[in-house]
Amino acid sequence: ISALEAQALLNQNKPAEAMAIITPLLDDPRTSSAASLIAAVAELRQGHLDEASERLKVATAGGNASGQINLLKAELEAAQGEYDSAISSLAATMDISAVRDRARASILRSLVQMAKNGEVEKAEQRVDELLEQHPNDPILLIARAETQFLQGRFEQGMGILEQVDRLLPQAAT
């Protein structure tokens, strides 16, 4: 029940309160993995990146890497400025329907941030890699357009956005 209470507090954006409830469960071998995952989310939301990273390592020590865990790992990597690693972690979640939308949004943020940080060529390379696997993904195409805009290639960027417009009715079905 404590884990459910902590999760409910996280859903209410009360990470400090969630940590207070989940902390006693961290030392119990029966609950430490799940408790560590909840604690990792709470630490991340509080901006405690090193602690979140340590909690995530404990949560995944058994080799359990679900889509939610990969998504959390990617969000942590992006918060630490490791956008390339975040994109790699997120790429594995693109085919998991339960986390697809969050993964795509995080990929877009990471790619754009990478490009804004001066790594435009690397961001373009990563977008191209992802588009090979998901050629008509509107979010990835928007990221591609953004890299074009950041390089002053406005016509190319607009052409890509027109392609997205044509795809959107197809993506909704």
Side-chain angles (χ1 to χ4, degrees), residues 66-68 71 90-104 134:
S66 69
Q68 292 287 354
L71 189 58
L90 290 163
T93 65
M94 288 280 293
D95 294 322
I96 303 171
S97 61
V99 295
R100 182 179 300 122
D101 290 342
R102 262 181 70 194
R104 291 165 70 207
H134 307 278

Side-chain angles (χ1 to χ4, degrees), residues 11-52:
N11 292 340
Q12 297 169 23
N13 202 25
K14 297 179 180 178
E17 293 176 40
M19 276 303 296
I21 289 176
I22 208 68
T23 298
L25 299 176
L26 294 171
D27 295 326
D28 185 337
R30 296 170 295 162
T31 58
S32 65
S33 181
S36 292
L37 185 58
I38 293 169
V41 173
E43 297 287 13
L44 179 60
R45 289 191 183 165
Q46 294 178 90
H48 305 155
L49 303 182
D50 291 338
E51 293 88 345

